[in-house]
Amino acid sequence: MRGRARQKLNVLLASKLQTARAWELKETFSHVWSYKSVTWAAAFLDYWCYRAMRSRLEPMKKVARMLRTHEKLLLNWFRAKGEISSGAVEGLNNKIRVVTRRSYGFRTYEAMEIALYHTLGRLPEPESTHRYC
């Protein structure tokens, strides 16, 4: 932002309106993803949570509490240096959901399990897919 827009933003932020404080906290949090070091990211996260808890905005306090409980998991992303994607896991979960949706008519869990083996392929199949009397 430049010129008059920057001046108006500064006036709005100085006004101490709840909306302005919430917007500023939201925009500030987006900077956490720019850190490369786990230590600096953890320090920023702690500081942001501290500010959110003191903001007197209950939705922001709720987010800060949630971030504090999941802090270890969030910092794992920095330990992996952003190289690990959860795309493969998401794809597998999607395939499993589709097979589960298709298998509502099956009478047993084993039949659904066999359908999963058949769809996913290259997984060990059970000894026999049918039971003979």
Side-chain angles (χ1 to χ4, degrees), residues 58-99:
E58 194 53 43
M60 287 297 180
K61 287 181 174 183
K62 185 177 176 183
V63 170
R65 284 191 286 273
M66 186 262 311
L67 289 174
R68 282 182 175 168
T69 58
H70 294 93
E71 185 174 8
K72 283 185 179 179
L73 298 174
L74 281 169
L75 294 178
N76 281 341
W77 188 84
F78 295 98
R79 286 184 188 94
K81 298 186 181 10
E83 295 176 3
I84 297 175
S85 173
S86 60
V89 175
E90 291 296 327
L92 183 64
N93 285 340
N94 187 36
K95 283 184 179 183
I96 291 171
R97 250 186 266 120
V98 168
V99 171

